[in-house]
Amino acid sequence: MVATATTSVWKLYRETTGNWIIRAMDLLREVGAFAIITTGVTVTKFNVAPRVVHPLIYEQIWRAGVRLFAMVAFIAAALGLVIVGQTVSLLTRVGAQEYIGTVMVTVVMRELGPLLTALLVLARAGTANVVELGTARAMGDVEALESLGIDSLHYLVMPRVIGLSVSVFCLATYLMMITFGCGWLFAFVQDVPMTFAEYFGQLGKAMRWQDFLLFALKTGLFGGIIAVVSCYHGLARPLKVEDVSGVTTRAVVEAVVGCVLLDAIFIVAYLFV
Amino acid sequence: MESEWIIELEEVDVTHPEAGEMTLAHGIQWRIARGDFWVVGGPPGAGKSSLLATAAGLNRPGAGIVRVFGHALAEASEAEQIQWRQRIGFVFEQGGRLFGQLTVAQNMALSLQYHTTMTDEEIVAKVSEWLERVGLTTHANTSPARLNQLWQQRVGLARALMTPKDILFVDNPPTGRTRDATWWRKQLSALAADGMTLIVGSNDFALWLESAKQFALVQDGRFIVLGGPEQVRAGTEADWREYIMVD
């Protein structure tokens, strides 16, 4: 009786959690392999056919970066007014204004800025990538490129990886600057006894060179993860047009999980700097 | 040293990647020599297009060996495969699979921009020359979606031949006694006369009896070589007459 129950619990575990873990590991291996191959192509072929591929990189920066600036600026302003301004006001009220810089750098520069920007880029450009590439794959564009002797990773994936990495970095930088600016504006309106110079002086003191390095690395990698996951789902398997919407949803979930996991790794890195 | 065979298929199983790797034809033995002109027919869904794509190195075979210019594709690096593919032209069926985000002229110029160091002026001149040849000069800046499929396939032909090719695959060009079918027959016959190796997927053998040298079928999962035009004309009682136009 006990043995039967143990067997069925084990079977249930194997069929649910076990299978899920195996599928997740398989996916990780496949996306990892795709990321390694893409990195290889990006490094070795960056300057191959520049008059074809470099305009595609600029186009991706335009689509994922420049066109998203207004949305990022709006979110940054809201973040600055609602959260940062209130935090500054509160810390000043309890006499802890010397921690303003540290709190702002930790919250905005290290955590919220990069992750929020990555999620915005994922929502706007990552989903568009899966739909575009999935449709291109379903319509036979990949075979058409190969028939012309054009490496589809070089033509379709590399511009997106570079474009999204640059875009997330630039947008996160703007988001951070606007958030800090609006934070001071809110504090000013609230009559917080802190000058512009004191506020930005504190922020400047709290930032170390490692913060800038890790910020660039983190935002670049967030962009890379979004691009690789979305391109993998769009291109890695033959798709029918009706499969594209389901694949897009999966790609979004996996890119979010990827970004959060990377964020966790960076939290550990911050403990040592 | 390159083999006398441009393409060799040895015991190849042809699969359809979008149909869950379903095998369409088994154990294909096929050798294509320089200067050959093959026409391959078969009932709908038999695997003509997949066979052509497999022979051109675009589809991975389910089993067997595909050799291109004497080298086994499966053993070649990606860089080698890309290099060989530049010497193989492929015109896809149903509109030629043009890139929808590019104009007609940009579609044609893409391989020149990607593979050559030609100046923009030289590329424009070459594209204009081909636009004139395919009769679409006025549509240079048109999106491919605005052209009908017959014209799209003409652009596909021009795109495939923008850089020098050793062999050209043409999948399902227009058939029957139409002006378009005649246009394709003239164009491909002229290419064959210039020494181009041609593989055409078509069920209209009548259109190609004057110019093609070899005819074959994909039928019931097998690749059947019928022979030359005489053998095709002689097969009056054959079962493939149901779907192949000969008269």
Side-chain angles (χ1 to χ4, degrees):
Chain A
M1 181 86 173
V2 173
T4 315
T6 311
T7 311
S8 47
V9 167
W10 170 241
K11 193 179 169 196
L12 186 69
Y13 170 78
R14 217 175 43 199
E15 285 174 2
T16 53
T17 315
N19 281 349
W20 184 86
I21 291 171
I22 289 169
R23 275 203 305 275
M25 295 308 287
D26 268 350
L27 180 74
L28 191 66
R29 180 178 54 79
E30 286 173 18
V31 176
F34 187 77
I36 291 167
I37 295 168
T38 303
T39 309
V41 169
T42 306
V43 171
T44 56
K45 290 191 173 176
F46 180 75
N47 271 326
V48 173
R51 63 178 159 173
V52 173
V53 176
H54 289 188
L56 295 174
I57 296 173
Y58 306 143
E59 190 190 325
Q60 289 302 321
I61 293 173
W62 172 259
R63 290 173 56 190
V66 180
R67 287 180 65 185
L68 209 54
F69 176 75
M71 170 61 93
V72 165
F74 175 73
I75 298 286
L79 197 67
L81 293 172
V82 175
I83 297 172
V84 178
Q86 287 191 50
T87 309
V88 171
S89 172
L90 187 70
L91 287 175
T92 312
R93 226 180 294 156
V94 298
Q97 58 264 46
E98 67 267 29
Y99 295 111
I100 286 173
T102 311
V103 171
M104 288 305 108
V105 168
T106 306
V107 172
V108 179
M109 188 179 188
R110 289 184 177 181
E111 298 304 330
L112 215 48
L115 197 58
L116 198 57
T117 311
L119 294 179
L120 287 170
V121 170
L122 171 65
R124 176 77 173 259
T127 50
N129 270 351
V130 189
V131 174
E132 276 173 17
L133 296 181
T135 310
R137 173 92 207 219
M139 301 300 283
D141 283 7
V142 174
E143 286 83 2
L145 279 173
E146 285 174 5
S147 77
L148 296 175
I150 296 174
D151 181 353
S152 53
L153 281 179
H154 184 224
Y155 186 81
L156 296 173
V157 180
M158 189 188 97
R160 286 173 165 84
V161 170
I162 297 174
L164 261 65
S165 296
V166 171
S167 297
V168 174
F169 169 72
C170 294
L171 288 174
T173 307
Y174 288 125
L175 182 130
M176 187 174 68
M177 288 160 59
I178 296 169
T179 303
F180 287 151
C182 287
W184 179 79
L185 202 65
F186 185 84
F188 176 75
V189 171
Q190 294 271 305
D191 268 344
V192 174
M194 180 178 267
T195 64
F196 183 84
E198 282 170 347
Y199 174 74
F200 280 98
Q202 278 214 29
L203 289 178
K205 269 187 212 154
M207 289 178 191
R208 290 166 297 166
W209 67 266
Q210 294 97 324
D211 284 314
F212 290 99
L213 185 72
L214 290 173
F215 175 82
L217 197 61
K218 192 176 185 176
T219 49
L221 286 174
F222 277 166
I225 285 176
I226 295 166
V228 165
V229 171
S230 57
C231 291
Y232 167 79
H233 279 286
L235 286 178
R237 288 194 192 90
L239 288 174
K240 296 190 191 82
V241 174
E242 59 267 28
D243 296 335
V244 173
S245 60
V247 167
T248 307
T249 312
R250 270 208 306 279
V252 169
V253 172
E254 286 161 19
V256 169
V257 171
C259 288
V260 171
L261 288 178
L262 182 74
D263 203 42
I265 293 170
F266 270 89
I267 289 173
V268 177
Y270 281 126
L271 294 176
F272 295 98
V273 296
Chain B
M1 184 165 157
E2 279 195 1
S3 156
E4 62 173 304
W5 307 108
I6 293 188
I7 287 169
E8 294 169 83
L9 272 64
E10 208 173 285
E11 290 297 325
V12 163
D13 286 0
V14 172
T15 60
H16 193 295
E18 282 167 32
E21 300 286 342
M22 182 177 73
T23 303
L24 298 169
H26 300 269
I28 294 176
Q29 295 281 134
W30 189 17
R31 284 176 164 180
I32 301 166
R34 201 170 289 278
D36 275 1
F37 188 161
W38 287 83
V39 177
V40 181
K48 286 194 304 288
S49 300
S50 298
L51 170 63
L52 263 58
T54 305
L58 299 174
N59 269 10
R60 202 178 47 197
I65 301 167
V66 177
R67 286 198 188 86
V68 177
F69 304 115
H71 307 277
L73 264 183
E75 293 163 14
S77 67
E78 186 66 26
E80 284 173 320
Q81 289 190 33
I82 286 172
Q83 200 183 357
W84 298 331
R85 279 190 195 126
Q86 288 176 50
R87 296 165 62 187
I88 302 170
F90 202 104
V91 183
F92 294 91
E93 62 178 338
Q94 293 175 347
R97 295 193 190 173
L98 304 179
F99 305 116
Q101 74 280 15
L102 304 178
T103 64
V104 165
Q106 285 169 338
N107 263 281
M108 290 162 67
L110 183 62
S111 59
L112 289 176
Q113 290 178 316
Y114 192 90
H115 292 299
T116 72
T117 53
M118 286 169 75
T119 63
D120 288 348
E121 290 74 24
E122 288 169 330
I123 290 173
V124 168
K126 184 143 192 184
V127 168
S128 303
E129 180 193 318
W130 269 98
L131 278 167
E132 202 175 324
R133 192 164 162 182
V134 297
L136 294 170
T137 306
T138 53
H139 296 282
N141 297 316
T142 306
S143 164
R146 295 178 70 90
L147 301 180
N148 68 35
Q149 287 201 342
L150 294 170
W151 283 7
Q152 287 175 9
Q153 203 174 19
R154 286 190 187 197
V155 179
L157 174 71
R159 184 179 71 175
L161 293 175
M162 292 304 282
T163 53
K165 297 288 188 292
D166 290 328
I167 180 167
L168 178 69
F169 290 82
V170 182
D171 192 9
N172 274 330
T175 57
R177 287 161 202 241
T178 62
R179 210 165 59 174
D180 276 296
T182 309
W183 183 90
W184 277 89
R185 182 172 53 76
K186 281 183 184 167
Q187 292 294 328
L188 298 188
S189 301
L191 288 169
D194 288 344
M196 173 79 78
T197 307
L198 285 164
I199 316 294
V200 177
S202 174
N203 280 348
D204 186 358
F205 283 7
L207 192 65
W208 305 104
L209 281 172
E210 299 301 319
S211 43
K213 295 175 187 168
Q214 299 100 332
F215 292 83
L217 292 173
V218 184
Q219 186 181 299
D220 301 327
R222 291 181 304 132
F223 180 71
I224 305 157
V225 176
L226 298 178
E230 297 75 26
Q231 282 85 3
V232 171
R233 284 195 188 97
T236 49
E237 301 298 318
D239 58 351
W240 47 262
R241 287 275 186 153
E242 284 175 27
Y243 52 86
I244 298 284
M245 289 185 271
V246 180
D247 306 313

